Amino acid sequence: MAATSATTLSVGSTTSLGCKGSSISQSKAFGVKFNSKNNIRSFSGLKAATTVSCESESSFLGKESLAALKQSITPKAQKENRGYVNCVQPQASYKVAILGASGGIGQPLALLVKMSPLVSELNLYDIANVKGVAADLSHCNTPSQVSDFTGASELANCLKGVNVVVIPAGVPRKPGMTRDDLFNINANIVKTLVEAVADNCPDAFIHIISNPVNSTVPIAAEVLKRKGVYDPKKLFGVTTLDVVRANTFVAQKKNLRLIDVDVPVVGGHAGITILPLLSKTKPSTTFTDEEVQELTVRIQNAGTEVVEAKAGAGSATLSMAYAAARFVESSLRALDGDSDVYECAFVQSDVSELPFFASRIKIGKNGVEALISSDLQGLSEYEQKALDALKPELKSSIEKGTGFVQKEPVAA
């Protein structure tokens, strides 16, 4: 799902080149930027800006590589942008905590977040093995400072003053295991971690990755309510991976440039509750009934595809980390004042009769600014039937999460 309407290339963590028309996640960077709508149309990535700025001190490209890049880009930028300004614009100012940072998702996610030019502090938490991850990442010459926190006694310090909390903690799916099988283990993990968030950084954006998201997000909401700090605008179930997969599979199937493809995915984040709205694909694309059926089923079962391919050695960790990093970057850009940030996410919603629903949202400084309900209008017959079919299952998952907390005591 498009995070915004601009397209950019990010080289490392500090260089972005902009043009209009992307469906790929984007970010502000303090590297090489320019504002022409016509520049470098073939590139994809982050966020177009209104000036050219050069920052050489924190780029992991190295000074020589960055200098060469500057020389190759600046003349064209100067020619096309008379208002060229050469200045340093350090923007790293946000604190991110990853809870479950030594796991299969947590480690690659931590690396990708470490690369963000908007992050000043990166706190890594897990019950074990996190010191080595933090030491390893701390050697990367990007701006953020990495700190490690191990075990329940250090969780509070990990969360102090954090702007964005990301929770990939929990056990992964194994062959033959459904997302529902994960519930009893991961429900307790999410409950405990969100209690700590409520106590130590109640104003932070909370990104829930731990499956089953259809239940763990309602669990988090109930915990925050019982703690008296629930803000529905700041609680997100990260469903970005469904969008990433939908865009990839559609581009491959229809031989489209991936940068151009944007498929909204609504509903939930498991099985038939994942509903790609292929009729809303951008650019406008025609699908046969067989293609709709094939693509929908593949997107819904893509997680199982990875679990089976890994033959018991894990689940979708790398693609999930990529998708989560994209959502983190979108949140950081929104916090930083970008007014053009859109993603799909599983949030408290009134676009359907269900209390939580995944749809395209606009994210701002205070969290969810708008729910984009127009995607659910004018659906194809196939999509409408699929939407009706998913609601009972999604409703059951939501109620399961809500009921779990209502039966359990919440830590004082």
Side-chain angles (χ1 to χ4, degrees):
M1 175 55 56
T4 177
S5 59
T7 303
T8 65
L9 165 71
S10 177
V11 182
S13 68
T14 59
T15 305
S16 65
L17 313 177
C19 62
K20 297 289 282 184
S22 168
S23 63
I24 304 297
S25 172
Q26 298 136 340
S27 81
K28 286 186 178 177
F30 56 96
V32 181
K33 305 177 181 177
F34 54 88
N35 66 359
S36 172
K37 297 181 180 180
N38 301 312
N39 286 322
I40 314 189
R41 292 187 179 277
S42 63
F43 289 115
S44 67
L46 306 184
K47 175 69 179 175
T50 56
T51 63
V52 175
S53 62
C54 298
E55 165 62 80
S56 61
E57 294 305 314
S58 59
S59 172
F60 65 76
L61 289 171
K63 292 184 179 179
E64 287 133 0
S65 297
L66 187 63
L69 182 63
K70 287 183 198 174
Q71 290 173 3
S72 67
I73 292 171
T74 300
K76 182 172 183 178
Q78 286 177 313
K79 182 178 179 180
E80 297 196 15
N81 298 274
R82 298 196 177 198
Y84 168 82
V85 179
N86 186 13
C87 59
V88 175
Q89 296 180 327
Q91 299 169 11
S93 57
Y94 296 99
K95 190 172 181 177
V96 176
I98 299 175
L99 310 184
S102 66
I105 295 171
Q107 290 196 41
L109 174 58
L111 172 61
L112 293 170
V113 173
K114 178 74 170 78
M115 294 168 64
S116 172
L118 292 170
V119 177
S120 58
E121 295 181 56
L122 178 58
N123 288 355
L124 306 181
Y125 170 84
D126 217 316
I127 57 174
N129 304 322
V130 74
K131 288 188 179 296
V133 176
D136 199 355
L137 283 180
S138 70
H139 295 177
C140 300
N141 63 322
T142 61
S144 55
Q145 298 297 310
V146 181
S147 301
D148 61 270
F149 302 84
T150 303
S153 64
E154 297 185 7
L155 180 55
N157 286 335
C158 172
L159 293 169
K160 296 292 186 185
V162 166
N163 303 108
V164 176
V165 179
V166 192
I167 306 180
V171 299
R173 281 200 299 160
K174 298 176 182 178
M177 180 185 287
T178 66
R179 292 183 188 275
D180 194 53
D181 293 331
L182 300 176
F183 180 82
N184 288 331
I185 299 173
N186 288 355
N188 274 300
I189 293 172
V190 170
K191 174 178 170 289
T192 300
L193 294 176
V194 174
E195 286 172 351
V197 172
D199 291 338
N200 295 284
C201 54
D203 294 326
F205 283 17
I206 306 172
H207 295 182
I208 304 291
I209 296 172
S210 307
N211 276 316
V213 166
N214 293 353
S215 297
T216 53
V217 170
I219 286 171
E222 287 301 308
V223 169
L224 295 167
K225 287 177 185 177
R226 293 178 70 172
K227 287 283 191 175
V229 295
Y230 180 48
D231 183 348
K233 295 181 179 180
K234 294 183 178 181
L235 176 63
F236 307 87
V238 180
T239 63
T240 316
L241 181 53
D242 299 326
V243 177
V244 166
R245 286 166 167 164
N247 291 349
T248 300
F249 299 164
V250 167
Q252 291 171 346
K253 186 73 173 177
K254 306 302 287 187
N255 196 27
L256 300 170
R257 291 197 318 162
L258 184 56
I259 183 177
D260 296 328
V261 179
D262 185 4
V263 183
V265 182
V266 303
H269 187 54
I272 67 166
T273 70
I274 300 169
L275 179 56
L277 300 180
L278 297 174
S279 69
K280 306 289 185 177
T281 297
K282 296 179 182 179
S284 181
T285 305
T286 301
F287 300 91
T288 65
D289 291 345
E290 292 75 16
E291 286 174 332
V292 169
Q293 172 72 16
E294 177 188 343
L295 284 166
T296 299
V297 170
R298 188 181 180 201
I299 293 163
Q300 290 173 338
N301 295 329
T304 301
E305 183 179 313
V306 175
V307 169
E308 292 176 350
K310 290 188 175 182
S315 58
T317 54
L318 299 177
S319 54
M320 183 65 247
Y322 165 79
R326 167 177 150 166
F327 196 82
V328 169
E329 193 76 1
S330 291
S331 292
L332 293 173
R333 288 193 296 103
L335 286 168
D336 201 43
D338 192 328
S339 61
D340 193 26
V341 180
Y342 295 85
E343 289 282 2
C344 280
F346 186 64
V347 297
Q348 181 174 310
S349 174
D350 60 4
V351 302
S352 75
E353 63 272 27
L354 299 175
F356 294 89
F357 197 82
S359 66
R360 197 156 53 100
I361 61 174
K362 181 177 182 181
I363 310 174
K365 285 186 174 182
N366 297 313
V368 179
E369 283 192 351
L371 304 167
I372 312 302
S373 60
S374 58
D375 286 338
L376 295 174
Q377 299 170 5
L379 300 181
S380 69
E381 182 180 356
Y382 178 92
E383 290 165 348
Q384 188 60 56
K385 287 181 178 179
L387 179 60
D388 294 338
L390 72 81
K391 288 179 179 179
E393 182 168 327
L394 182 53
K395 181 175 183 288
S396 176
S397 296
I398 292 169
E399 290 175 347
K400 187 171 184 177
T402 301
F404 173 81
V405 179
Q406 291 174 347
K407 291 184 295 185
E408 296 283 331
V410 173

